[in-house]
Amino acid sequence: MQISSVNDVKIYNLSYGKSLPEWLSDRKKRALQNKDVDIQRRIELIQDFEMPTVCTSIKVSRDGQFILAAGTYKPRIRCYDTYQLSLKFERCLDSDVVAFDILSDDYSKLVFLHCNRYVEFHSQHGHYYKTRIPKFGRDFAYHYPSCDLYFVGASSEIFRLNLEQGRFLNSLQTDAVEHNVCDINPVHQLFASGTAEGKVECWDPRVRSRVGMLDCALSSVTEGTEVEGLPSVTALKFNGSLTMAVGTSTGQVLLYDLRSSRPLLVKDHYYGLPIKSVNFQDHLDLVLTADSKIIKIWNKDTGKVFSSIEPQTNINDVCIYPGSGMLFTANEDPKMNTFYIPALGPAPRWCSFLDNLTEELEESPDSTVYDDYKFVTRKDLENLGLSHLVGSALLRAYMHGFFMDIRLYHKVKTMANPFAYEEYRKDKIRQKIDESRAQRVQIKKLPKVNKELALKLMEEGDDEAELSARKKKGKALPSILSDERFQVMFENPDYQVEEQSEEFRLLNPIVSKVGQKRRKKLQLLAKQATDAEKAEADQEKEEPEGRGSSDESSDDDKSWVDEVREQRRLIYEEGRDRRRQERKEQDRNTTLLDKDSTQNQAQGRKQGQQPRFFQIKAGEEFRSFGDVARKQKLQKASLEERLKLEERSGTVNVADTAVGSKQLTFTLKKSEQQQRQQQAERDHHEERKKLRRSAGHLSTAAFLPPSQLEDPDSSTFMNR
């Protein structure tokens, strides 16, 4: 239970505290109650007074015994018995409930308006009947004398369903485009509907004609009221025979007397949120209006605020238990809140023990620390020179110190230290200067060995720090610079990285470009270091800012491939020049031998040196020792030189084409089936050649006379 006091009105939140899960056993629940103080102080007024996810609307039956609540998910209706303080039944529905009403004194007759245009009737045993209205409904009201249900929604018509005849009656034609809410006066049965255009239309059910119209949108905009858009009517409630309260979508509540077209009172919530519900408390002439943020209780004659309730979650509906100071709220939360305000009325009969409980709490009030008092210790009093006030009415003893009026404290503080403001001002100026200096480029100290490598590691560490800052659970890895195992690499000159070596340049093709950037950055850091030394010598001089990133060279435009090619070309040229230089040095050191020396060398080879033998592999043909040397020379030559040499010798034929200068000849390997088919075709062709007969005699018969061709006795005919 939570106690709050607003405008000296005590409000008890009976639903405050931890809720125990249903799947816990009784033994574990008792163990938690013995350990947790919050669970011990929890008051469970009605058992399982909650929804699985969200509660949309809540109502109390006319006899006061049952509390019905609609919620989701899944869509359901729950009925609680106040005499048993527990859940009586629960029924699941096919779709979400927009609005529902209790037609009987108890729970035996219920009507539900669903979001899919269905109207569902329930009796005591459960589902009874279901029908459908032509348009989507938003609210409905029941007219008891004629047993008519009036449905309003996304249509200009007001649909009527007679429950005695069991059929729809002629609809009421209105001038509005859409209707949001409706209500029927319990005294003279006047039907009123609130439109989306901010008007209230009043109809007489006896003659089925409109008897009046109120323009609430124009009346809600008063002096000092700021609204955005057209105020539409979102709440409507009658009280007695002449009083009506209208809530708008912009957060205003208008109180009307039906005999006048002007509102008696306009109350603004100052939140700009639509009014969800309006209720009246006749005993103290109070009005309870609620939006999704707050419930305000104010006097209907003067508009003076009586108290207010601000729950932790958004409000969907508010219901007052009749004749008491207890109210229930349907929230955007599984738990439905129960508030008890003793100033509004006594507790209901089924929880009369609340009156005794609240009286005991009021008799032993907790000490409250107010904002207009300052807590000081005895040492603070001695510094202020107020030790002589101990025991007087200006100091109130509390724990290890005293409470004194905040105005007296500030006055004495100013008199005791008149230059406190100047010191405070200097401290603020010093803080601003430190913040501006912290935003500048910080000077990084680099080691003497491998400065560029250290700078690279610093940049990578900054990137990792940024990445870990973006991720909440990420942690930056420790840097190599701060690791003791790698300190020798930045202290011993033997570990200096040789960036000009061939291996380093081949493994790092872009090192030249990155090296240039780092050299510029090193120069910039050195310049900043010198500037910082000057600034320390003379604090009045400002530090020069570094150059912007626009001064960097335009080497970033080169691609990675160009850098690789450039490095390889440079390495090749350096190697070629080095080989030429070695040949020149070798030629200078070479001396010609005379005939005698050559003979002496030949004799020495005959006496001391053994001849060399070469083994010829199978399939090779020995030509001369010059071929072996030529092959070795060709293996060391480049591809371009080998191609030119083969082209001169005629061993290769190079044809210039659009694609390239290489020709390839290849044959496709045929399968066994294709080979058998081709062999069968060849055999068939050979067989046809053998069976073919000669037709040379036809050329001679073509030139014979017709008489010889027709005579069968002639020898020519026989031959033919």
Side-chain angles (χ1 to χ4, degrees), residues 159-171:
F159 305 106
R160 296 192 301 155
L161 176 60
N162 188 272
L163 301 185
E164 183 181 6
Q165 302 177 21
R167 65 186 182 92
F168 282 95
L169 304 179
N170 293 333
S171 303

Side-chain angles (χ1 to χ4, degrees), residues 228 306 546 675:
E228 295 181 0
F306 178 76
Q675 292 177 1

